[in-house]
Amino acid sequence: MGDRTHTHTGAAGRAVTADRPASLRNVVLVGHSGSGKTTLVEALALTAGALNRAGRVEDGATVSDHDEIEQRRGRSVQLSVVPVEWDGFKINLLDTPGHADFVGELRAGLRAADAALFVVSAAQEADTVAGTTRSLWEECAAVGMPRAIVVTHLDTARTPFEEMSRICGRIFGNGDPDAVLPLHLPVQGHAGPDGHAPLTGLTALLSGRVFDHSSGERREAPLSGGRRGPLQEARARLIEGIIAESEDESLMDRYLAGDEIDVTTLVGDLERAVARGSFHPVLTAAPAAEGARQGIGTVELLDLITRGFPSPGERALPAVTTPDGVPRPAPVCDPAAPLVAEVVKTSSDPYVGRVSLVRVFSGTLRPDDAVHVCGHGLAGSGGADRPCHGADVRVGALSAPFGGQQRPVDHCVAGDLACVSRLGGAETGDTLSGDGDPLLMEPWTMPDPLLPLAVRAHGKADEDKLSQGLARLVAEDPTMRQEQNQDTRQVVLWCMGEAHAEVALEHLRSRYGVRVDAEPHRVPLRETFAARSVGRGRHVKQSGGHGQYAVCEIEVEPLPAGAGIEFVDQVVGGSVPRQFVASVEKGVRAQAARGVASGNPLVDVRVTLLDGKSHAVDSSDAAFQTAGALALREAAADTRVQLLEPVARIGVLVPDAYVGAVMSDLAGRRGRIVGTEQASGERTLVRAEVPETEIGRYTVDLRSLTHGTGRFDRAYARHEPMPPQRADRIREAHETGTKGS
């Protein structure tokens, strides 16, 4: 693995296809922003011949072709697929965004892949590596996904390769650092004035062969005497790690007895351990020098992918059920089997409309096939707002993605990926199956979006397009949730973070032609009476003809939290005619919905109608509604009205080192710590109750406080009285706004 002298050039500029799942590899690249994932994909594509030395294919496209938003921001915000050929294998390289806000694109890549390359930069701090990748590493481990690690930026390294290898073993070894070991040692040239030494080649630990790239070509070179000591030490540790994972238990006895284990046996055991996901090799790679045909370490990495990573048929496929939830036999990765596929990403193209990136798990997908599309919303992504849906549609044109380009293909077999146009209203996470046998795949989870973005149409022309644009945006991005808040009368987009929110606004403008303005998000508050009070509503008007006459007297008293509005009729003697009692109640409830002190709904009170007066001619339903509202306002003016704020129950998962800082921060947000629990991986779960007015930006603040290592979830707990000083400020602001209008 990585010891061969390749001159492979691949199939430049052509859409590559594979008709056998065994010849396919789907690999997702995971890593922090700036770790070099896209550069690595370009280097692999160049080595495999999918790009020329100018970094382009025949039609001028590049791997890093970005849309307008990515060009402006200088970083990826969406999943990109680049297929390359290597030694008869088709490799789908799935390049994912590194920014935490675009985790939806990353999860889509994980769903479509069968193995993962974790890209870590030696130019970044070790804490950055740990914070942004450990949770994803654990997700891959939970499903048994094979993983390898690629160290980049050794030429500008803060940390030497040997130390980076030890850091990776500590972070990713799950208590067994000997399961995370390098396959090669880098060869670096003389340090320049800046102290950085260029990467010039690699030494393969198992074979001891040195591959030198200093001339611009990959050539074998002799091993220098000064490197034999470090090589032997690293080689011995690697051999012990491979033997520990070997299925041949006699190897360890032979090794301990002093026998020399042949390289072929070691490489075979290494490949099997990598495919099982029990051993995780550490490699290094660098882009090709100007004019060179191959990057450093790219041949070794392509060899690892084709020989060590599993084919789609070697991976367990997601469970399937009928749309009614009846379990069905698991699909098989066979082109001749019934169709089971999934939409892993949805995007919009200005020329062809909605385009769906589909992973075919079973069967073969062809243009004009009649398929059933069935979806249930993604778990954790506001699925309650996206109910189960199904429809029979006809598949449009198929194409193979290549970065931002698509190339037509005539079919897509089990294990492969394709872009599909005209797939009806299919959304990310939907299942495609034969139209006569509808199936639904087990959903993949998405984190809840926790940053609110309140928007309104910029102008009259945008109002009609806003709802359609938002609906399409949410259908494409399962990490975004739309809310029409009836209490605050705001349209709220729940996003993963600030960058996610900014991209959403840009997509509305550029893709759907909708201009929107962001406004401060308002938390739905409540009002209630602090004590018993009485009020009299008198509505008397005479202006010729029939007038308006209604008088009512009420008593208002507070009720326990959650009781709502209770209306009681205690009128005696018919002072308020029976037909107008309901009118008083209607007026009271309407005023309660509008609020009596701050413009927020009144809750948890009992309103008792005690007495009133009427007129045989001038009393009416409308008059008694108005009198009921006036009575409630008068009762509120004679007592203290409490403002209630929602309290969230949150769980914050952070490394142990940040527990103190997080608890102190929560206290500053008027939070109450409920308890702490020890979690795996030297982490602690802090449980607390915090007013929602204090955590509107908590997803952003927590990321900053914990260097990207913390995450949290939230759920509504209850409404509680707001501190008087804060409540007074809100009431004053409401009164000022009311007078101003």
Side-chain angles (χ1 to χ4, degrees), residues 101 449-454 494-502 519-521 523 650 665-666 669 690-705 710 712 714:
D101 281 8
L450 296 171
L451 181 71
L453 171 67
W494 288 88
C495 306
M496 298 301 301
E498 289 180 315
H500 192 210
E502 292 169 3
E519 59 183 9
H521 174 248
V523 172
I650 70 171
D665 179 72
L666 290 174
R669 298 172 187 269
V690 191
E692 289 192 11
T693 54
E694 301 285 350
I695 56 172
R697 287 178 45 84
Y698 191 58
T699 187
V700 177
D701 298 338
L702 178 65
R703 191 179 297 165
S704 174
L705 182 66
F712 81 107
R714 63 188 285 179

Side-chain angles (χ1 to χ4, degrees), residues 357-562:
L357 177 63
V358 173
R359 161 77 189 255
V360 179
F361 288 94
S362 177
T364 301
L365 187 65
R366 295 181 174 84
D368 295 325
D369 278 354
V371 300
H372 185 83
V373 178
C374 190
H376 39 36
L378 297 181
S381 64
D385 298 326
R386 302 172 61 193
C388 182
H389 57 272
D392 293 322
V393 301
R394 192 164 293 279
V395 175
L398 296 185
S399 58
F402 189 97
Q405 307 292 316
Q406 283 89 40
R407 298 175 174 79
V409 294
D410 57 10
H411 65 280
C412 181
V413 302
D416 208 352
L417 301 168
C419 289
V420 185
S421 61
R422 301 197 315 274
L423 203 54
E427 302 177 357
T428 301
D430 286 358
T431 303
L432 311 184
S433 54
D435 60 348
D437 187 19
L439 297 173
L440 195 58
M441 297 194 78
E442 179 183 29
W444 34 302
T445 59
M446 286 287 187
D448 284 326
L450 296 171
L451 181 71
L453 171 67
V455 297
R456 64 172 182 270
H458 180 74
K460 188 68 176 177
D462 301 301
E463 291 180 359
D464 297 335
K465 297 184 291 184
L466 179 58
S467 60
Q468 183 180 3
L470 290 175
R472 293 177 65 181
L473 196 66
V474 172
E476 293 179 7
D477 187 349
T479 59
M480 186 171 292
R481 178 164 52 88
Q482 179 187 354
E483 175 191 4
Q484 184 77 46
N485 194 298
Q486 299 301 320
D487 293 331
T488 63
R489 301 176 185 86
Q490 284 187 314
V491 176
V492 182
L493 278 178
W494 288 88
C495 306
M496 298 301 301
E498 289 180 315
H500 192 210
E502 292 169 3
V503 168
L505 294 179
E506 293 186 55
H507 279 159
L508 283 172
R509 177 189 56 80
S510 61
R511 290 184 180 179
Y512 310 123
V514 184
R515 294 179 305 163
V516 297
D517 297 320
E519 59 183 9
H521 174 248
R522 296 193 295 273
V523 172
L525 305 177
R526 301 284 188 270
E527 300 174 346
T528 193
F529 277 49
R532 175 185 172 278
S533 183
V534 295
R536 185 171 188 266
R538 183 175 185 275
H539 182 63
V540 178
K541 287 188 177 181
Q542 189 69 44
S543 57
H546 285 300
Q548 299 179 47
Y549 188 94
V551 178
C552 64
E553 296 180 5
I554 63 171
E555 177 187 71
V556 185
E557 54 187 321
L559 291 177

Side-chain angles (χ1 to χ4, degrees), residues 126-127 130 134 163 165-175 177 180:
D127 287 346
R134 175 183 284 177
E163 179 62 22
S165 297
R166 285 191 287 271
I167 290 171
C168 290
R170 186 184 75 244
I171 296 172
F172 303 131
N174 193 26
V180 182

